[in-house]
């Protein structure tokens, strides 16, 4: 099979989810699977044909047509890497969906996601302009989207309808039971249709694993600040989470701190600083963490940190760190090699 097709790629988070599910549901099969789990620090993407192979091998091993739905049901925000982190920084599902569309290339770069508002419905739609990845791939992806969405909110919300571009599988009733709504196959597009009121639903507090990841990010940002000496308590963390949510603005940071923008500006001025300077410093610290992890390209990091483009990110990083992002990353890799 040609693993370098034009079908695109998926996040390695999906592969890790498969391994996690097999370890719990089919431990013997998990030991026999002839594929390697992606390692931290490796490029966090898997070619779609390779993902197709993995899912087909798994199906042949377990012979369960509900396999893609069971894999999807196992998802947790902490399993979803960058997307889980980003979603945990958002205020409501509308923001989370907007960031999903922004980061689609990192998570599920197969066919282009279109988002449309029609009346009281929001429609997430995928066509087939880059080809059809098939029943297993599509079913896992849409199932994960549904399960992941419901992990972000306090009470479950079900789509109004779901449709797939693929032929009807032998177990359509499993899909109806999983999504709790009408599910159709052999359609022109793959779609998930939600009530538009879903966009305003607030997100629940992140689970303890994701909270730990967020807290670790905050700890790294504050590593040069002694305990109790942060001039504006929670300020660095508020900037970090605002960046993660894609809204790195003075208004958003002030809202997260429950103060007025005027008060926040005055406090920064009293320190001889400005919001722009602090934002740039925090974004560069976040960029350093991403560069050391080695899982994202420079363009992806620029997108994640809400820069207008990669050039703006590169200039800002060099202005603060004194070297370009690429040079910084090479230096850190050399340090790791020498230490090893």
């Amino acid at each position: 099979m040609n693993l370098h097709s034009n079908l695109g790629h998926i996040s390695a988070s999906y592969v890790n989810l498969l391994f996690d599910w097999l370890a719990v549901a089919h431990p013997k099969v998990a030991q026999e699977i002839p594929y390697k789990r992606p390692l931290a620090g490796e490029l966090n993407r898997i070619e779609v044909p390779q993902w197709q192979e993995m899912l087909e091998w798994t199906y042949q091993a377990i012979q369960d047509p509900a396999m893609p739905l069971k894999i999807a049901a196992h998802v947790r925000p902490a399993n979803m890497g960058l997307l889980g982190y980003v979603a945990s920084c958002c205020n409501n599902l509308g923001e989370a969906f907007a960031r999903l569309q922004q980061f689609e290339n990192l998570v599920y770069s197969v066919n282009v996601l279109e988002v449309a508002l029609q009346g009281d419905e929001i429609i997430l739609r995928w066509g087939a302009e880059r080809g059809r990845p098939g029943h297993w791939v599509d079913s896992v992806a849409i199932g994960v989207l549904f399960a992941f969405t419901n992990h972000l909110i306090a009470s479950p919300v079900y789509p109004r309808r779901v449709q797939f571009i693929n032929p009807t599988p032998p177990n359509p009733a499993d899909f109806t039971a999983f999504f709790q709504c009408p599910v159709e196959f052999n359609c022109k597009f793959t779609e998930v249709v939600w009530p538009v009121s879903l966009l305003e639903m607030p997100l629940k507090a992140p689970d303890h694993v994701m909270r730990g990841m967020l807290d670790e990010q905050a700890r790294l940002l504050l590593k040069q600040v002694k305990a109790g000496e942060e001039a504006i308590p929670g300020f660095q963390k508020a900037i970090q989470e605002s960046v993660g949510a894609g809204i790195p603005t003075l208004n958003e940071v002030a809202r997260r701190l429950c103060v007025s923008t005027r008060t926040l500006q005055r406090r920064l001025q009293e320190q001889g600083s400005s919001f722009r300077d602090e934002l740039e410093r925090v974004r560069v610290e976040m960029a350093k963490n991403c560069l050391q992890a080695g899982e994202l390209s420079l363009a992806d990091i620029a997108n994640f940190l809400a820069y207008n483009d990669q050039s703006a990110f590169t200039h800002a990083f060099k202005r603060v760190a004194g070297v370009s992002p690429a040079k910084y990353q090479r230096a850190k890799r050399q340090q790791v090699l020498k230490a090893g």
Side-chain angles (χ1 to χ4, degrees), residues 12-291:
S13 298
Y14 285 94
V15 181
N16 283 318
L17 175 61
L18 171 62
F19 275 79
D20 290 344
W21 174 71
L22 283 175
V24 172
H26 300 277
K28 185 178 179 181
V29 175
Q31 294 176 354
E32 297 172 350
I33 188 169
Y35 304 97
K36 292 183 179 180
R37 178 191 281 266
L39 299 175
E42 293 183 343
L43 186 60
N44 202 26
R45 294 170 181 171
I46 303 296
E47 297 284 341
V48 166
Q50 186 178 1
W51 179 227
Q52 291 171 324
E53 271 193 5
M54 291 182 186
L55 293 174
E56 180 60 29
W57 183 93
T58 303
Y59 173 70
Q60 293 300 329
I62 66 175
Q63 293 292 309
D64 182 356
M67 174 192 75
L69 304 177
K70 292 180 178 180
I71 294 171
H74 196 74
V75 75
R76 302 292 184 274
N79 297 137
M80 296 306 292
L82 176 65
L83 180 59
Y85 170 81
V86 164
S88 296
C89 294
C90 294
N91 296 308
N92 55 46
L93 275 176
E95 287 184 10
F97 279 164
R99 289 295 261 171
L100 167 63
Q101 188 174 21
Q102 183 179 3
F103 286 103
E104 183 193 17
N105 186 54
L106 301 184
V107 181
Y108 186 73
S109 180
V110 183
N111 289 302
V112 177
L113 166 63
E114 296 180 6
V115 181
L117 288 173
Q118 293 184 6
D120 64 345
E121 296 180 335
I122 178 171
I123 302 173
L124 307 183
R125 176 183 295 147
W126 296 263
E129 64 279 356
R130 296 180 68 178
R132 298 189 180 195
H135 172 65
W136 300 133
V137 173
D138 285 346
S139 298
V140 171
I142 300 303
V144 164
L145 171 65
F146 166 73
F148 179 69
T149 296
N150 275 299
H151 273 294
L152 294 176
I153 54 181
S155 301
V157 174
Y158 301 104
R160 289 187 173 173
R161 62 186 180 278
V162 173
Q163 64 181 45
F164 288 92
I165 203 169
N166 303 304
T168 304
N171 59 326
D174 287 336
F175 284 77
T176 301
F178 180 81
F179 291 106
Q180 292 288 295
C181 71
V183 180
E184 297 180 1
F185 297 89
N186 280 311
C187 298
K188 186 176 181 181
F189 302 101
T190 294
E191 291 185 350
V192 182
V193 180
W194 304 88
V196 74
S197 58
L198 184 76
L199 300 180
E200 298 300 323
M201 292 195 70
L203 304 190
K204 65 182 180 182
D207 63 34
H208 70 281
V209 178
M210 184 55 64
R211 187 74 262 169
M213 294 172 63
L214 292 170
D215 289 345
E216 175 63 10
Q217 284 287 323
R219 187 192 69 77
L220 292 170
L221 289 171
L222 294 169
K223 60 187 176 182
Q224 296 179 345
V225 179
K226 294 180 180 179
E229 291 188 2
E230 190 177 11
I232 304 175
F235 179 57
Q236 306 296 319
K237 191 172 183 180
I239 293 182
Q240 168 214 323
E241 294 189 349
S242 298
V243 171
I247 319 171
T249 65
L250 176 65
N251 286 342
E252 177 62 15
V253 172
R255 188 195 65 76
R256 288 175 182 265
L257 292 172
C258 299
V259 300
S260 68
T261 55
R262 182 174 297 180
T263 296
L264 181 54
Q265 284 179 314
R266 186 183 71 250
R267 291 182 183 177
L268 289 170
Q269 289 171 356
E270 290 170 354
Q271 298 174 43
S273 185
S274 68
F275 177 74
R276 180 177 179 180
D277 291 342
E278 294 297 321
L279 172 63
E280 190 166 271
R281 186 178 68 80
V282 168
R283 286 206 285 192
V284 168
E285 288 299 318
M286 293 175 74
K288 288 179 180 178
N289 296 336
C290 293
L291 290 166

